[in-house]
Amino acid sequence: MTSPTVTGEAPGATAAPAEPPPPKRRGTPKARRTWRQALRRDWQLYSLAVLPIAFFLVFRYLPMIGNVIAFRRFVPGGSVFGEEWVGLRYVHMFWNDPTFWQVFRNTLWLGGLTLVFCFPAPIVLALLLNEVRRSAVKRFVQSVSYLPHFLSIVIVAGITMQMLATDGPVNHVLGWFGHDPIRFIQEPEWFRTVYVGSEIWQTAGWGTILYLAALTTIDEDLYEAARIDGANRWQQTWHVTLPGIRPTMITLLILNIGTFMAVGFEKVLLLYNPLTYQTSDVISTYVYRTGVESSSFSYAAAIGLFEAVIGLVLITSSNFLSRRTVGTSLW
Amino acid sequence: MSRPSRGYRVFQSANAVVHTLVVAVTLYPFVNIVARSFSGERQIRAGKVSLWPEGFNLTTYKIVFKDSMFWRNYGNTVLYTVVSTAVAMVLTTCYAYVLSKRHLRGRTVLVGIAVFTMFFTGGLIPNYVLITSLGLKNSIWAIALPNAISVFNLLVMKAFFENMPSDLEEAAQIDGLSTYGILLKVVLPLSKAVVATMALFYSVSFWNSWFSALLYLDDAERMPVTVYLRNLILGSTGGTNAGAATDQLSQVGANIQAVAILLTALPVLCVYPFVQRYFVKGVMLGAVKG
């Protein structure tokens, strides 16, 4: 699906030899083409790749290596990679930091709720849209539901706050039922609901695109056969439609699990405030505050690295599991 | 098609209700914000504004329009979007074209370099330290350069180039065009659709971005309008540089956010109906071809 056939575990960034050719490159005349010949023939193509590769090296791989400051003492203005080795000092520090465990729990909560509610939403919407026979209606509903995806997170956060303000529409409706206004944005117990709700509002419509595309590829004959076997609508959905979009579902599920730890950092940063830290503060926002705002770079880098490693482990293991169990995988 | 059963007809009606709800829930906030932006302060506080402005007035619009900082930041957003998109398009197109050449030695590695970054990234702090020590802080390059290639866009473009008939390029080569010439004079003119789509993808994401600006720019005058809006929402700026009178101030407090949200979203809302289907196509291309 979104990922190509290449393996993800490409080594560092140096011009290592391509995987397919035999181990010995030089002095094997029968190898497709030697590097010298390739360079002579395609030097113009390679030259086009120079700037993009420089981009990846500097802005993607250098920061990966830069993570060593998690194990080195960093002095602002000093080397990007820190000044001296301090071992696991910063790891011990966050391990014994109660705030860290609080934000860790919050991250799991928000990530889990997002997975449980935001992942199925587009599937349900796509299945329902698929049952709409009038294509004009279908197109209209789709166009409208994509809309929030195109707006800046700042705007979505702004709209969320306006809707949930004490004088906003939601509290207005609550007023009809004689309910006192709820201060959604200030109360920690509401943060998760607010976050997940705004996430669904923003992403559900856009998420249907891939599922609707997958639905069109299901063979009509399968429905025909199911009908002849006496399957009703619901059984057709259960036995034909859902298995038909299963590869799409699993691919997106793996991708979702991969971003599990990195729960909508920007949105949390916009929606939270010190009153709701108790439930809203997640690893990435804590990293932002300790690192950028309080300049504890090494400490924050250690936490960030921990988060990234969990993410990588989650995505590789779910990929492995799904390849073993259902035969679909990203790579 | 067999005759729909009664249960199915019930389902269809329920389905119609669900879709009406989806549309209503998606659109209501926009309508409400438009209504608020034109409403009087007291009416908003009393929760009277729903779909239609109550106590119509334009005070807040006047104040925002007079706020020089708002316009300066708006101009910054335009500038950042144009420059960043241009940089991103050059780098992405070049790399996608190289990656689309199947005969190229080392192609797997070149693809791998890009794809690996989809699964593992350096993280906030090393990036911040890097940008700072490269001296990019407080310049447009801190926004444009670190986001110059989106791997997803790269793969979409690569798939498009791969599907292009190679005969034309071979003919051009025989006619003596260099690789650069082929890319500029043959391939790109034939790829207007994908180039336009990618430019749209990039410009919308740069228009909407705010966090790199917050991280790497210190000066309020250099901020994009999204950060202006964010500060407004957090209440750290009142947008009151225009020296408003007291009654105007309370008016502002009630609906300045609505006005700023609308003005910031406006360009996207305006082009949305025309470009939306290109986005959908682009996403499907990326998904199916990978």
Side-chain angles (χ1 to χ4, degrees), chain A residues 32-50:
Chain A
R32 285 180 309 175
R33 209 178 289 128
T34 65
W35 273 106
R36 187 185 298 215
Q37 282 169 328
L39 273 173
R40 191 178 306 143
R41 186 188 136 129
D42 291 321
W43 66 270
Q44 289 187 321
L45 275 177
Y46 288 114
S47 72
L48 285 176
V50 170

Side-chain angles (χ1 to χ4, degrees), chain A residues 287-299:
Chain A
V287 167
Y288 170 72
R289 283 205 319 280
T290 44
V292 178
E293 288 182 355
S294 325
S295 301
S296 314
F297 290 104
S298 288
Y299 181 55

Side-chain angles (χ1 to χ4, degrees), chain A residues 63-73 80-82 85 298 305, chain B residues 126:
Chain A
M64 286 183 202
I65 306 168
N67 270 314
V68 296
I69 67 164
F71 309 105
R72 291 168 70 87
R73 198 170 57 85
V80 187
F81 303 117
W85 290 103
S298 288
L305 185 60

Side-chain angles (χ1 to χ4, degrees), chain A residues 216-297:
Chain A
T216 58
T217 63
I218 299 175
D219 195 348
E220 275 298 318
D221 294 350
L222 289 174
Y223 288 105
E224 189 69 54
R227 269 198 297 276
I228 290 168
D229 289 346
N232 62 27
R233 278 274 163 178
W234 172 245
Q235 287 163 329
Q236 286 172 35
T237 303
W238 190 252
H239 294 290
V240 181
T241 313
L242 279 180
I245 59 173
R246 194 169 65 182
T248 310
M249 281 165 62
I250 289 170
T251 310
L252 291 179
L253 185 64
I254 299 172
L255 285 172
N256 270 293
I257 292 172
T259 55
F260 183 83
M261 296 298 286
V263 277
F265 167 56
E266 294 192 12
K267 189 180 270 180
V268 176
L269 201 60
L270 288 164
L271 284 178
Y272 83 163
N273 59 59
L275 292 175
T276 55
Y277 278 178
Q278 189 190 333
T279 52
S280 62
D281 201 9
V282 290
I283 297 184
S284 40
T285 50
Y286 186 55
V287 167
Y288 170 72
R289 283 205 319 280
T290 44
V292 178
E293 288 182 355
S294 325
S295 301
S296 314
F297 290 104

Side-chain angles (χ1 to χ4, degrees), chain B:
Chain B
M1 191 103 211
S2 58
R3 204 163 10 85
S5 68
R6 221 189 74 148
Y8 185 61
R9 284 202 307 271
V10 172
F11 166 77
Q12 284 293 39
S13 332
N15 202 11
V17 173
V18 171
H19 290 299
T20 316
L21 272 177
V22 168
V23 170
V25 168
T26 314
L27 288 185
Y28 180 79
F30 294 101
V31 180
N32 181 256
I33 287 209
V34 176
R36 279 173 168 236
S37 74
F38 290 110
S39 294
E41 177 260 334
R42 241 174 302 123
Q43 286 84 348
I44 295 179
R45 294 238 186 274
K48 279 187 188 151
V49 182
S50 176
L51 292 168
W52 201 249
E54 300 287 336
F56 185 86
N57 79 74
L58 293 169
T59 319
T60 316
Y61 276 97
K62 281 186 198 137
I63 290 172
V64 174
F65 281 135
K66 266 194 254 161
D67 185 357
S68 59
M69 193 58 87
F70 177 79
W71 289 114
R72 192 185 296 262
N73 290 352
Y74 215 89
N76 288 342
T77 297
V78 175
L79 177 73
Y80 296 164
T81 305
V82 171
V83 173
S84 310
T85 306
V87 173
M89 283 309 292
V90 171
L91 288 188
T92 310
T93 312
C94 285
Y95 207 46
Y97 184 65
V98 174
L99 296 186
S100 72
K101 294 285 159 241
R102 292 180 197 278
H103 73 268
L104 195 73
R105 187 138 196 215
R107 177 176 177 262
T108 331
V109 178
L110 294 183
V111 177
I113 288 175
V115 171
F116 181 67
T117 62
M118 287 177 106
F119 299 106
F120 195 77
T121 48
L124 177 68
I125 300 301
N127 272 303
Y128 181 82
V129 170
L130 175 75
I131 300 292
T132 314
S133 49
L134 286 177
L136 295 180
K137 260 196 119 178
N138 285 319
S139 86
I140 181 174
W141 305 116
I143 296 169
L145 294 183
N147 300 310
I149 297 182
S150 135
V151 177
F152 178 78
N153 292 359
L154 179 76
L155 294 177
V156 172
M157 261 192 131
K158 165 177 164 282
F160 185 90
F161 287 147
E162 275 172 355
N163 285 340
M164 198 170 262
S166 58
D167 308 2
L168 278 168
E169 290 178 60
E170 277 158 23
Q173 199 172 15
I174 292 166
D175 288 348
L177 270 182
S178 67
T179 303
Y180 308 134
I182 294 174
L183 176 60
L184 282 175
K185 294 191 183 134
V186 181
V187 176
L188 284 183
L190 289 172
S191 315
K192 281 187 195 123
V194 78
V195 169
T197 312
M198 290 301 114
L200 270 174
F201 269 75
Y202 276 124
S203 41
V204 169
S205 78
F206 284 118
W207 182 277
N208 285 338
S209 82
W210 66 287
F211 187 63
S212 354
L214 181 78
L215 266 184
Y216 301 127
L217 307 179
D218 291 332
D219 196 353
E221 303 221 326
R222 290 174 194 270
M223 292 298 181
V225 71
T226 38
V227 177
Y228 176 95
L229 181 60
R230 176 251 181 195
N231 292 341
L232 205 61
I233 291 167
L234 297 188
S236 49
T237 44
T240 47
N241 310 356
T246 352
D247 60 327
Q248 279 188 330
L249 266 182
S250 63
Q251 170 65 35
V252 169
N255 64 356
I256 193 165
Q257 290 186 8
V259 173
I261 288 173
L262 265 189
L263 291 176
T264 310
L266 202 60
V268 178
L269 293 180
C270 286
V271 297
Y272 173 73
F274 308 102
V275 303
Q276 183 257 116
R277 63 199 177 95
Y278 295 103
F279 278 90
V280 174
K281 261 191 220 148
V283 167
M284 304 227 291
L285 185 69
V288 178
K289 297 279 161 51

